[in-house]
Amino acid sequence: MVSILKKAIMAVTGLGWFVYVVLHLAGNLLLFKGPETYNAYSEFLVSNPLIIPAELGLLVFLVAHLASAWRVTRENSAARPQPYLERVLSRRGGTTSASGWFSTFASRTMWYGGVLLLFFLILHVWMFKYGDRSGAHGLWGLVVRSFKNPWISAIYIAAMLPLGFHLSHGFASALQTLGLLKPRWYPGVRRLSQVVGWVLAAGFILLPLWALLFAEV
Amino acid sequence: MDFILKVWRQNGPDAPGRLVTYEATNIPPEASFLEMLDIVNAGLEARGEDPIAFEHDCREGICGSCGMMINGRPHGPGRGITTCQLYMRQFKDGQTIVVEPWRAKAFPVIKDLVVDRSAFDRIIAAGGYISINTGSAPEANSILVPKEDADLAMDAAACIGCGACVAACKNASAMLFVAAKVAHLALLPQGKPERRRRVLAMVAAMDAEGFGNCTNEGECEAECPKNISIAHIARLNREYLRAKFFSR
Ligand code: HEM
Ligand code: FES
């Protein structure tokens, strides 16, 4: 497939998941409100007739994102069979481009971070979507009791690091891939992307932290 | 000035290569990097050794042939210059300088520091032109071009096709080069009629050469000797998506 189309698919599906992640965080912050509100919100989602199409859509987007990411990453490593013996990245060599964009840890680890997110996603869906919510306080109870286990909380907190990195490059990258940026927006959009990524990661980290330290079941 | 050079020597496309150490002595600070190599080569030839092969032509930053990786950076330290515009006073006396060719599957090494950049020519041949007889220079005001468009097109047209963007990119992507060519022509009235066909054909040709995919990191822009902006890559993406999905 044409390079630009592969990237456009990644950008559209990535932004789709980004929107989901924002809504998912907003919904889950209701955890602080206690079992009634949180369980009512969950009930509202599960009983919604649109839930199945939305889930299927997310699944299709994830598969398309992954398939494109796999092709792009493989082709990119094939494009330089012999690496440089010496290579200085722009920021470290004293050069920054006029746009203020440069290669970052986040941008160079998109594939690895993405794979970590995939493993997390599988674990997460298995734990909570298909978990047993019949105990005390329903789903809220399941979530809070899970996070009372420091190991589970640690995994959830650690898993948000790849999310922060992935989005701090991905958000700006997607806008560039879709050709939506004007010249003077570049430095700002890169910073915005980093803020967006880390605010989301921090938001999710609050949930296990709060459950572990303050929640009473 | 004296320098220790570590230069990539490779006899042919399929021969194995390696770094060979040379001493460059008595180099005037005002010598350009290419002149320094000339001096080293004169010494090698005097001893009956094979001189270091490197490409060069204009030696004034306009032909784009002299690209090489110097201490890990395309065209060496400094911003907005080609290798022929790099002067030895930029380096410290006694410094070790590592010189490698551009490395990309689409730019195979011919010998030493010379790579085959004809992949770029094939991309241009796929559509980087306008197919009309231009005749003699027309009356300047018969086709009006807004100043903003003319400026943007001129910025893009500064591309000399040296390949530093490919060399700098971690994916060996040629997007900045193709973007510069596509943007240059798409912005001007003479280029508009073939806009759709051009972008589709040039991107297809770029992919066929085995360049990598752009991951929007901006290393190309940081190392471009003509300071071409990645905003042109956004324009290329726009042009492509428009041609593919939003035109006839
Ligand atoms: C929470 C789920 C995810 C979200 C919100 C997300 C979001 C994004 C966004 C917005 C982009 C930018 C697209 C572009 O560069 O045009 C991107 C790129 C990428 N994603 Fe994801 N992604 C997610 C999961 C994954 C997974 C599971 C993988 C792989 C296993 C993955 C691998 C990649 C790769 C390799 C890129 C590279 C793009 C580049 O280097 O420019 N992502 N992602
Ligand atoms: S020799 Fe022409 S650009 Fe350097």
Side-chain angles (χ1 to χ4, degrees), chain A residues 119-171:
Chain A
F119 285 133
F120 168 73
L121 213 60
I122 294 169
L123 171 79
H124 175 60
V125 168
W126 171 73
M127 269 183 75
F128 290 153
K129 188 174 162 61
Y130 297 106
D132 176 14
R133 53 184 76 187
S134 60
H137 301 308
L139 181 63
W140 187 89
L142 169 67
V143 172
V144 171
R145 277 192 302 275
S146 303
F147 285 156
K148 283 286 179 201
N149 177 340
W151 291 107
I152 293 180
S153 276
I155 290 176
Y156 269 72
I157 291 169
M160 291 304 104
L161 300 181
L163 182 73
F165 282 118
H166 204 81
L167 288 179
S168 61
H169 174 71
F171 183 75

Side-chain angles (χ1 to χ4, degrees), chain A residues 33-88:
Chain A
K33 288 262 183 192
E36 290 77 27
T37 323
Y38 190 75
N39 293 342
Y41 163 68
S42 152
E43 197 50 43
F44 161 75
L45 280 188
V46 180
S47 59
N48 199 311
L50 291 178
I51 191 73
I52 299 290
E55 284 175 350
L56 284 178
L58 278 175
L59 186 63
V60 169
F61 267 37
L62 184 66
V63 170
H65 192 81
L66 257 157
S68 294
W70 165 247
R71 289 295 305 267
V72 162
T73 307
R74 244 189 23 179
E75 287 167 4
N76 287 358
S77 38
R80 176 165 296 131
Q82 174 147 23
Y84 290 106
L85 300 167
E86 188 142 320
R87 171 80 183 97
V88 177

Side-chain angles (χ1 to χ4, degrees), chain A residues 1-8 10 71-91 93-104 107-110 169 172-184 186 190, chain B residues 8 10 17 19 69 71-74 78-79 98 100-106 152 165-173 175 199 203-204 206-207 210-219 221-223 229-238 240-241 244-245:
Chain A
M1 188 190 284
V2 178
S3 53
I4 294 180
L5 286 183
K6 281 195 292 269
K7 285 305 308 272
M10 266 213 285
R71 289 295 305 267
V72 162
T73 307
R74 244 189 23 179
E75 287 167 4
N76 287 358
S77 38
R80 176 165 296 131
Q82 174 147 23
Y84 290 106
L85 300 167
E86 188 142 320
R87 171 80 183 97
V88 177
L89 296 175
S90 58
R91 251 287 194 76
T95 311
T96 322
S97 46
S99 68
W101 285 28
F102 50 90
S103 173
T104 58
S107 71
R108 291 190 299 272
T109 54
M110 289 300 274
H169 174 71
S173 180
L175 300 181
Q176 166 79 349
T177 296
L178 296 176
L180 301 176
L181 299 182
K182 293 216 182 294
R184 62 178 185 285
Y186 280 83
R190 162 141 272 182
Chain B
W8 185 261
Q10 179 173 344
L19 281 184
M69 204 76 173
N71 274 354
R73 289 187 50 192
R79 180 147 167 72
V98 179
E100 289 180 79
W102 287 171
R103 297 202 186 277
K105 190 172 100 194
L152 277 173
C165 45
V166 174
C169 175
K170 94 185 211 297
N171 314 314
S173 165
M175 283 284 275
V199 67
V203 169
M206 168 182 86
D207 287 352
F211 293 106
N213 303 276
C214 176
T215 54
N216 303 323
E217 314 204 17
E219 295 291 286
E221 177 187 82
E223 299 294 6
S229 161
I230 55 171
H232 293 299
I233 295 182
R235 183 177 297 277
L236 168 62
N237 290 331
R238 255 191 327 270
Y240 187 88
L241 296 173
K244 186 86 189 164
F245 298 113

